[in-house]
């Protein structure tokens, strides 16, 4: 079964102040952590970004697209939908550009949990669902399209409509929450101390 990685790097970063995908953390740009994690599970990766960052990512030889016109500006669901319409695949591994603590080992465990009967495999660690780090079956594309057409843009609303297998911290063998995303400059400093 084919699998494609979707790297979501198109947010406005309004709380962060600058494009956080390009923020530096331990001598690497944030998005590079996500890209490298995806490389462990697939060699087909699409970066979904915004027009003013597209060339920056393309310079590094990456396949980079911007949201399709009909869903432009509609958040992460638009990015997932755009990625699904860029490369046809059986499964899509989704990861945002702002979770530098996630590595390929964790993504591998999520990918390995795929079963045809599930629409998605999503972590639910330490009581919190992480819908932007997961594996989605291609049959979810029309459901996502329907959500976007209705302007129902909440990722958790989508997840609640799907047949999902949840993986907890025991399944993923985690002792701490590595699903910490970077919203503010202070977040970067905080995880840098851990």
């Amino acid at each position: 079964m084919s699998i494609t990685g979707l790297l979501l790097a198109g947010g406005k970063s309004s709380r962060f102040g600058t494009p956080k995908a390009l923020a530096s953390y331990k001598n690497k740009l944030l998005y590079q952590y996500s890209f490298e994690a995806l490389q462990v599970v697939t060699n087909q990766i699409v970066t979904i970004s915004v027009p003013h960052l597209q060339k920056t990512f393309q310079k590094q030889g990456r396949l980079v697209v911007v949201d399709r016109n009909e869903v432009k500006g509609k958040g992460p669901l638009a990015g997932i939908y755009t990625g699904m319409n860029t490369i046809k695949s059986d499964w899509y591994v989704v990861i945002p550009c702002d979770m530098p603590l996630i590595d390929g080992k964790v993504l591998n465990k999520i990918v390995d949990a795929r079963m045809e009967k599930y629409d998605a495999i999503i972590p639910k660690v330490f009581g919190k669902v992480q819908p932007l780090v997961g594996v989605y079956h291609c049959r979810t594309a029309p459901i996502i399209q329907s959500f976007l057409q209705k302007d129902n843009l909440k990722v958790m609303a989508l997840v609640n409509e799907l047949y999902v297998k949840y993986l907890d911290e025991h399944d993923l063998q985690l002792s701490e929450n590595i699903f910490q995303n970077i919203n503010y400059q202070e977040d970067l400093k905080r995880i840098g101390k851990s």
Side-chain angles (χ1 to χ4, degrees):
M1 289 185 289
S2 57
I3 184 160
T4 296
L6 303 182
L7 172 52
L8 304 178
K12 294 176 183 168
S13 300
S14 51
R15 292 177 286 183
F16 194 76
T18 60
K20 57 184 170 180
L22 304 177
S24 182
Y25 171 67
K26 293 190 176 178
N27 301 317
K28 237 190 267 188
L29 301 181
L30 272 187
Y31 85 91
Q32 290 175 310
Y33 289 94
S34 300
F35 193 89
E36 288 168 10
L38 283 172
Q39 283 182 308
V40 172
V41 295
T42 181
N43 57 7
Q44 289 191 130
I45 301 172
V46 181
T47 300
I48 301 95
S49 192
V50 288
H52 69 277
L53 294 179
Q54 190 173 13
K55 286 186 179 160
T56 303
F57 291 120
Q58 283 171 334
K59 280 179 192 168
Q60 298 174 34
R62 316 251 191 257
L63 172 56
V64 185
V65 296
V66 296
D67 285 343
R68 292 165 64 102
N69 284 335
E70 70 269 23
V71 297
K72 197 166 279 183
K74 293 192 175 187
L77 283 185
I80 295 169
Y81 177 74
T82 295
M84 287 179 162
N85 281 278
T86 301
I87 292 182
K88 295 299 175 201
S89 196
D90 297 312
W91 292 89
Y92 296 89
V93 186
V94 176
I95 187 171
C97 67
D98 63 353
M99 289 187 175
L101 302 182
I102 294 175
D103 60 23
K105 284 188 249 174
V106 171
L107 284 190
N108 223 10
K109 288 185 178 107
I110 300 169
V111 168
D112 285 348
R114 285 172 302 154
M115 292 174 73
E116 189 62 28
K117 67 179 181 177
Y118 293 112
D119 297 322
I121 316 300
I122 295 173
K124 183 178 182 180
V125 294
F126 303 104
K128 188 169 181 196
V129 178
Q130 300 290 341
L132 290 182
V133 181
V135 184
Y136 290 82
H137 195 277
C138 61
R139 68 174 158 262
T140 61
I143 303 169
I144 295 170
Q145 182 181 27
S146 168
F147 269 69
L148 289 164
Q149 286 169 343
K150 295 174 189 168
D151 281 331
N152 186 353
L153 308 181
K154 295 192 183 301
V155 183
M156 273 311 301
L158 168 73
V159 169
N160 291 334
E161 290 290 312
L162 303 177
Y163 184 35
V164 176
K165 177 174 183 168
Y166 291 101
L167 301 177
D168 66 17
E169 59 272 18
H170 305 293
D171 300 317
L172 298 173
Q173 299 172 353
L174 300 177
S175 58
E176 60 181 318
N177 189 357
I178 61 165
F179 295 87
Q180 301 173 56
N181 66 323
I182 307 300
N183 289 316
Y184 300 94
Q185 299 275 352
E186 294 74 35
D187 296 334
L188 211 49
K189 293 173 189 159
R190 179 176 42 78
I191 68 161
K193 292 173 183 169
S194 57

